[in-house]
């Protein structure tokens, strides 16, 4: 999913990668550890119109990330270890998390992580594992990819948008994406559903193509290095929904994953996860629902102060637009987040 902050982070990374950080600051801004966010891991595909490319990294880049973590002395921990690790002095730690339950995680990330004995976490959206649901950002991408023109009847948007070139397609994606992100979830889903139907796209087929089924997840669950977390039933932006809905999305997804995979589910990831999708009410509900930790997509490293905010943990997204060792080093230095979080270590408001 697009995040304006992520884009900003990516855009300034090359600059920050070259910055020299005074030793006296380094410890203070780096924090105790990081939780890294991944979505797709797969070989590079065609360039051109690929508006969701920031959500995918290549298997080679995953190896680069693991190399850089090792080179700077990060140990890779389980999400279960985080509360304790935040209290300890010692080498920095990294936790690897993969959202949504994509099949390419099994095909391309698993062999690499297994070969290096790295623990990792998959956050499962139960509808996706059941072969249904709405990868609405992918539906929007396909709607725009497959058509030459888009007819709309939405106040405040043009009634006709040309989609002849990749440049036009990219622009239209950004306009529609951000227009819809500011509306209610129901409006976003209905609007994209109508466009998908007109373009002959079946949302369930996109899910079935991309996401691991329960049987496939069961096979992964036999690997003791993999932790399973909950990522709701339907992948809603929780902050836009009422309390009962949020509680249901959290608790039912936890219960279903535990039942289907026969593993304990102690961790939760907020879908989309930015401040417009997960706020203080949702952090309280995740805590009340009994999760040990819950992770956002608010960017930043983990500081000892996060011991008191285990249900609003920041993560660092491994952005597919900046797949270089320099970008990884810059992100792990913590320096970008000192600026983007305006000096605050904990950003939970
Ligand atoms: Zn997600």
């Amino acid at each position: 999913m697009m995040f304006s902050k992520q884009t900003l982070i990516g855009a300034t990374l090359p600059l920050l990668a070259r910055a020299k950080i005074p030793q006296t600051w380094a410890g203070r801004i780096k924090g105790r550890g990081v939780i890294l966010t991944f979505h797709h891991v797969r070989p590079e595909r065609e360039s051109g119109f690929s508006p969701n490319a920031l959500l995918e990294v290549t298997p080679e880049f995953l190896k680069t990330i693991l190399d850089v973590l090792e080179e700077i002395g990060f140990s890779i921990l389980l999400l279960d270890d985080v509360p304790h690790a935040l209290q300890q002095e010692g080498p920095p730690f990294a936790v690897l998390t993969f959202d949504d339950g994509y099949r390419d995680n099994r095909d391309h990330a698993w062999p690499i992580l297994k070969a290096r004995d790295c623990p990792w976490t998959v956050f499962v959206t139960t509808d996706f594992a059941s072969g249904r649901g709405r990868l609405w950002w992918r539906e929007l991408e396909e709607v725009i990819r497959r058509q030459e023109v888009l007819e709309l009847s939405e106040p405040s948007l043009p009634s006709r948008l040309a989609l002849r070139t990749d440049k036009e397609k990219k622009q239209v994606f950004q306009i529609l994406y951000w227009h819809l992100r500011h509306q209610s979830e129901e409006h976003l889903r209905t609007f994209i559903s109508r466009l998908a139907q007109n373009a002959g796209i079946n949302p369930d087929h996109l899910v079935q193509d991309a996401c691991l089924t329960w049987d496939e997840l069961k096979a992964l669950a036999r690997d003791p290095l993999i932790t399973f977390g909950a990522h709701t039933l339907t992948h809603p932006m929780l902050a836009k929904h009422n309390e009962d809905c949020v509680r249901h999305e959290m608790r039912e997804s936890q219960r279903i994953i535990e039942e289907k995979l026969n593993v304990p589910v102690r961790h939760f990831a907020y879908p989309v996860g930015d401040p417009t999708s997960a706020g203080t009410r949702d952090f309280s509900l995740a805590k009340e629902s009994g999760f040990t930790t819950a992770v956002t997509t608010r960017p930043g490293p983990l500081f000892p102060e996060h011991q008191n905010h285990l249900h609003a943990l920041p993560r660092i997204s491994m952005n597919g637009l900046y797949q270089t060792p320099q970008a990884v080093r810059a992100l792990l230095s913590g320096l970008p987040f000192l600026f983007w979080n305006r000096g605050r270590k904990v950003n939970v408001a």
Side-chain angles (χ1 to χ4, degrees), residues 1 39 99-100 102 123 125 128 137 231 235 270-272:
M1 226 143 300
H39 287 87
D99 286 10
D100 303 337
Y102 293 117
F123 284 112
T125 296
F128 297 165
W137 54 100
H231 197 40
H235 207 274
Y270 303 96
V272 187

